[in-house]
Amino acid sequence: MRKPIIIGNWKMNKTINETLAFLSQVDQQCSNLQVEAGIGVPFLSLQQAQKNANNLIIAAQNCHYEDNGAFSGEISIAMLKEIAITHVIIGHSERREMFNETDQTVNLKVKKLLANNMIPIICCGETLTQYENNETNQVVESQIEKALQDISANNVEKVIIAYEPIWAIGTGKTATAQIVENVCNIIRTKISQIYDQNTAQMVRIQYGGSVKPDNIKELLSQPNIDGALVGGASLNAESFLGLVK
Ligand code: PGA
């Protein structure tokens, strides 16, 4: 059985103090959840958040694929490991669109994280134009194939995929549970074609895009949706608890 996983993607929101205030309100209440839950906080807050979270996973929102070197402004996997970070969001559409993230850099990062026993949360998803042109399946399949290139079946089991149609991110327009289920099924089928049925059944696939306390239940009741990656609705303590409880 795949345990659902709900991660808040905070993007460039909240200072360290604001993060600690959130954790003091929320972390204790997350001790006996039926899902895994966590927050993806800005790099600067990771260390203190990690120290103050007993129940929530503290995730990073990016990393570099090189071990070290002349990459001003970047953060290495060793730096994240040293502060016990285990999960890293990779290839979010905002990073693809605004910070030159490509399928190739996504693959390099995923490989490096897995080699370090860390868990990549790999984002994929189509633009509005691609959606309107019925290109969703093709776009997402290609993103998944490229992200998983040269990754063994043993390793791919640990990966989390986040299907996030770009037209649903921060727009208030959630894709219907049926649309999401269809695409998550396409993703799982693709994984079973690259690897095998058993492997595909192990991989958790989240949905992201305007997930809120009032629509999460229907989304998570679908057979191929194993959790959510949540932006806006994860920033407020009450709303976050409404998502994970
Ligand atoms: P949203 O963002 O929930 O605010 O739509 C989701 C995401 O970008 O991961």
Side-chain angles (χ1 to χ4, degrees):
M1 262 310 272
R2 301 183 296 268
K3 189 166 188 185
I5 178 162
I6 299 169
I7 300 286
N9 175 16
W10 280 6
K11 313 190 179 187
M12 196 174 72
N13 289 295
K14 291 197 195 285
T15 64
I16 296 174
N17 283 340
E18 288 166 347
T19 303
L20 295 180
F22 176 96
L23 283 172
S24 72
Q25 275 181 281
V26 170
D27 186 70
Q28 242 185 3
Q29 296 191 59
C30 293
S31 59
N32 279 313
L33 299 176
Q34 281 167 15
V35 299
E36 282 181 46
I39 46 176
V41 304
F43 283 133
L44 197 62
S45 305
L46 282 171
Q47 186 168 18
Q48 292 206 48
Q50 182 70 320
K51 282 188 188 151
N52 286 277
N54 295 315
N55 301 302
L56 291 177
I57 295 165
I58 302 299
Q61 298 175 20
N62 184 29
C63 66
H64 202 278
Y65 51 84
E66 292 290 355
D67 290 337
N68 50 47
F71 303 100
S72 300
E74 291 292 314
I75 297 289
S76 75
I77 289 174
M79 295 170 194
L80 298 174
K81 260 187 115 165
E82 187 177 65
I83 57 167
I85 298 301
T86 51
H87 293 61
V88 185
I89 301 168
I90 296 294
H92 190 279
S93 58
E94 286 150 17
R95 294 214 60 84
R96 291 180 192 252
E97 289 186 336
M98 294 185 268
F99 302 102
N100 298 324
E101 189 83 76
T102 64
D103 287 327
Q104 195 200 358
T105 58
V106 167
N107 177 245
L108 290 169
K109 291 175 183 192
V110 170
K111 279 196 282 201
K112 214 21 156 331
L113 284 165
L114 290 168
N116 281 279
N117 285 320
M118 291 167 74
I119 299 177
I121 301 172
I122 307 169
C123 301
C124 61
E126 78 286 7
T127 63
L128 180 59
T129 312
Q130 291 165 335
Y131 173 71
E132 287 171 347
N133 290 340
N134 281 326
E135 290 166 6
T136 301
N137 296 356
Q138 182 193 328
V139 168
V140 169
E141 283 181 317
S142 158
Q143 286 172 330
I144 293 301
E145 195 167 359
K146 289 174 182 157
L148 300 181
Q149 207 174 316
D150 300 325
I151 289 166
S152 69
N154 275 354
N155 268 335
V156 94
E157 288 175 7
K158 300 170 203 151
V159 155
I160 296 166
I161 310 273
Y163 167 55
E164 299 205 312
I166 297 170
W167 50 270
I169 296 179
T171 57
K173 268 200 237 167
T174 328
T176 63
Q178 199 49 56
I179 294 178
V180 179
E181 168 59 19
N182 286 344
V183 182
C184 290
N185 188 33
I186 293 283
I187 293 172
R188 203 174 300 287
T189 305
K190 184 77 207 169
I191 298 171
S192 77
Q193 286 163 358
I194 305 173
Y195 300 92
D196 55 76
Q197 258 307 336
N198 283 350
T199 305
Q201 287 305 323
M202 305 280 287
V203 176
R204 289 183 290 181
I205 306 175
Q206 298 175 311
Y207 165 70
S210 300
V211 175
K212 298 190 178 58
D214 63 8
N215 61 24
I216 193 163
K217 209 166 168 195
E218 194 194 353
L219 288 159
L220 263 60
S221 70
Q222 304 297 315
N224 283 294
I225 307 179
D226 309 313
L229 188 59
V230 189
S234 72
L235 289 166
N236 170 275
E238 201 181 316
S239 160
F240 182 87
L241 288 168
L243 292 163
V244 298
K245 281 201 169 210

